[in-house]
Amino acid sequence: MNAFRKAVEARDTEAMAACLADNVVFTSPVAFTPYPGKPITAAILRAVLRVFENFRYEREIIDGPNHALVFRTEVGGKEIQGCDFLHLDENGLIDEFTVMVRPLSGAQALSEAMAAQFDQIKAEALEAFNS
């Protein structure tokens, strides 16, 4: 999963999106319903880059097509520890993307920050879907 990690660390949103399968399903740490599809997932990832401060991956765990990328970041002054759980399809693209974060205060700060981004996320996803 080096390509995705490198894209995130370089803050290269196009390279991040290129790692996603068209049928990717994104499961948020703060929303119950998963988000299906590349346009919405790519828009969410762009928003995450806008709200995360001092983001860094600390470790990567690989088990066949399953990858866990452990990270630390800050949102609104709250420290967050989290993990991106990724599953790769037969083409090496991410088809499942689940994020978990802790502690609760960090998850709440993330939820608030992402809620403020959601109109832009929806607009970007709709634009990408219609292109």
Side-chain angles (χ1 to χ4, degrees):
M1 193 70 274
N2 285 335
F4 181 75
R5 180 177 180 168
K6 286 178 183 177
V8 171
E9 290 172 339
R11 302 181 64 85
D12 184 341
T13 58
E14 288 183 24
M16 289 167 55
C19 294
L20 302 174
D22 289 338
N23 65 338
V24 64
V25 175
F26 180 84
T27 304
S28 164
V30 296
F32 178 75
T33 304
Y35 297 96
K38 186 174 182 173
I40 190 72
T41 301
I44 289 168
L45 293 175
R46 287 190 296 273
V48 165
L49 287 182
R50 292 190 294 268
V51 302
F52 277 4
E53 305 159 11
N54 302 315
F55 178 87
R56 63 207 173 276
Y57 281 121
E58 295 186 322
R59 131 186 60 180
E60 184 172 353
I61 303 164
I62 301 170
D63 181 19
N66 301 298
H67 296 249
L69 299 169
V70 180
F71 65 85
R72 287 194 186 265
T73 191
E74 297 169 25
V75 174
K78 300 288 184 182
E79 291 187 29
I80 295 175
Q81 180 183 33
C83 190
D84 293 335
F85 293 99
L86 312 174
H87 179 270
L88 306 183
D89 67 12
E90 63 280 353
N91 298 312
L93 298 175
I94 300 167
D95 62 357
E96 294 176 25
F97 195 128
T98 301
V99 181
M100 294 189 182
V101 298
R102 64 165 300 280
L104 178 58
S105 60
Q108 290 168 329
L110 177 59
S111 178
E112 292 169 10
M114 291 302 288
Q117 296 283 322
F118 210 73
D119 286 341
Q120 184 174 348
I121 291 169
K122 287 190 297 187
E124 288 178 12
L126 187 59
E127 181 180 325
F129 183 75
N130 290 326
S131 320

